[in-house]
Amino acid sequence: MTKHNSSRVVRDYIWITLGSVIYSLSFDLFYVPNQIGFGGLTALGMILNYFVPGLPIGMVVLVLNIPIFILGWKFLGGHTLISSLFAMAATSVLVDLIAVLYAFPAMDPMLASVFGGVTLGVALGMIFSKGATTGGTDLIARLLKLPFAWLPVGKLLLVVDLSMLLAVSVAFQSLESGMYGAIALYISTIVMDWVLYGLDQSKVAYIVTSNPRPMAAEIDKQLDRGTTFLHGEGSFSRQDKLVLMCAFKQRQIVPLKALVHEMDPEAFIIVCNAHEVLGQGFRRYQKNDL
């Protein structure tokens, strides 16, 4: 392993550790004292412990994770497995450690649901962004990302965890706990997807102009963004047209529109959101990318 790769791995694990701290603190601060339903295999462990008190929750979660981690090793590779084991161990230890050091008081359940969802979403986004999971349903969502690659990982996690919340509500006969948990879960998935995908906001512009080639040259010169010519035809004029297609960063939208207007005030421009852009000048493709 090169020095560069070693430093990158260290940075990744520092980031995973920080995410694990936020995750554990969020769980102990917002979920536990306010009896908000929690998804994942932890919820399943709590249910089994409720009906069979002799079953330790931690041991149940550990046993349930074994087949899931085997699947993770097979389909996601060793890096994901090792980093996920680290994240799972870190969150498990920190949750118990924080609970021993300080028992947080209860607060308004709605506030706890909202802020718990935000902080948990940030934590999971940080952990997922480095190829790790906290095990359980997080790893299941990561595995489901393989056959359903077009779906954001947060939405996949939402579907899996909602089933766990429903089971918790039925087992504990507490509809409110499940409802508050659903609110927190929805917010956490939105925030998680924002952390994973929102920081790389890109847009695509389609420009119809009478000066396509000079405008393309200026976009390249002033904004350092390449353009692609699409061949089109005017429906009224029946004339062939070159339509400019340009991918660019969110922050470049104002100078792009100003440049287009300056060169051709009659130009027609359509700006669309791009879920992600891969290639030169943008993010590079990585195997098993989220």
Side-chain angles (χ1 to χ4, degrees):
M1 183 180 291
T2 64
K3 183 178 179 181
H4 173 73
N5 289 336
S6 298
S7 61
R8 181 180 61 81
V9 170
V10 170
R11 288 196 302 270
D12 286 352
Y13 275 86
I14 291 175
W15 195 247
I16 292 172
T17 302
L18 181 58
S20 299
V21 171
I22 298 174
Y23 178 99
S24 305
L25 187 60
S26 175
F27 181 77
D28 283 332
L29 174 60
F30 297 113
Y31 286 83
V32 175
N34 300 287
Q35 297 182 339
I36 295 175
F38 195 75
L41 292 185
T42 303
L44 191 54
M46 292 168 62
I47 294 172
L48 292 175
N49 176 261
Y50 177 76
F51 289 108
V52 186
L55 285 177
I57 295 176
M59 184 60 66
V60 171
V61 173
L62 179 62
V63 171
L64 292 174
N65 264 305
I66 292 175
I68 299 174
F69 271 92
I70 292 174
L71 289 174
W73 177 276
K74 180 178 180 180
F75 293 105
L76 300 178
H79 170 70
T80 297
L81 179 66
I82 295 172
S83 58
S84 296
L85 283 170
F86 174 81
M88 184 181 69
T91 52
S92 299
V93 171
L94 287 170
V95 163
D96 290 341
L97 181 61
I98 294 172
V100 169
L101 293 176
Y102 186 75
F104 291 97
M107 64 177 71
D108 181 81
M110 182 58 71
L111 287 177
S113 299
V114 172
F115 286 95
V118 170
T119 53
L120 198 70
V122 170
L124 289 173
M126 293 171 65
I127 294 171
F128 269 65
S129 68
K130 299 305 177 183
T133 73
T134 57
T137 51
D138 297 351
L139 190 51
I140 293 174
R142 187 71 175 84
L143 289 166
L144 287 174
K145 181 70 177 175
L146 298 178
F148 301 104
W150 64 91
L151 291 176
V153 69
K155 300 299 185 298
L156 291 170
L157 188 59
L158 177 64
V159 172
V160 177
D161 274 340
L162 275 177
S163 62
M164 293 293 100
L165 277 178
L166 181 61
V168 168
S169 298
V170 172
F172 296 154
Q173 298 181 354
S174 175
L175 183 60
E176 287 188 357
S177 176
M179 292 172 67
Y180 283 125
I183 293 171
L185 179 60
Y186 178 76
I187 293 173
S188 69
T189 57
I190 297 297
V191 174
M192 184 200 310
D193 283 341
W194 180 82
V195 173
L196 289 172
Y197 311 115
L199 297 179
D200 188 33
Q201 284 286 344
S202 300
K203 293 185 177 294
V204 175
Y206 297 93
I207 306 167
V208 181
T209 174
S210 57
N211 304 310
R213 297 189 184 278
M215 186 174 292
E218 284 301 310
I219 292 174
D220 183 32
K221 178 182 177 181
Q222 295 187 29
L223 302 181
D224 193 27
R225 292 296 174 198
T227 56
T228 299
F229 292 122
L230 306 178
H231 293 274
E233 179 184 337
S235 61
F236 294 106
S237 66
R238 300 296 182 182
Q239 295 179 349
D240 292 337
K241 292 179 178 291
L242 288 179
V243 180
L244 277 64
M245 183 183 73
C246 177
F248 58 96
K249 295 290 188 180
Q250 168 75 35
R251 63 180 180 273
Q252 294 177 308
I253 187 170
V254 173
L256 176 67
K257 291 193 293 186
L259 186 155
V260 171
H261 180 74
E262 180 182 348
M263 295 192 67
D264 182 6
E266 303 300 321
F268 190 77
I269 179 171
I270 303 173
V271 179
C272 308
N273 290 324
H275 174 63
E276 58 181 336
V277 180
L278 305 179
Q280 185 175 359
F282 296 88
R283 195 163 60 88
R284 293 292 182 181
Y285 169 78
Q286 296 180 9
K287 186 179 180 180
N288 294 330
D289 203 352
L290 291 174

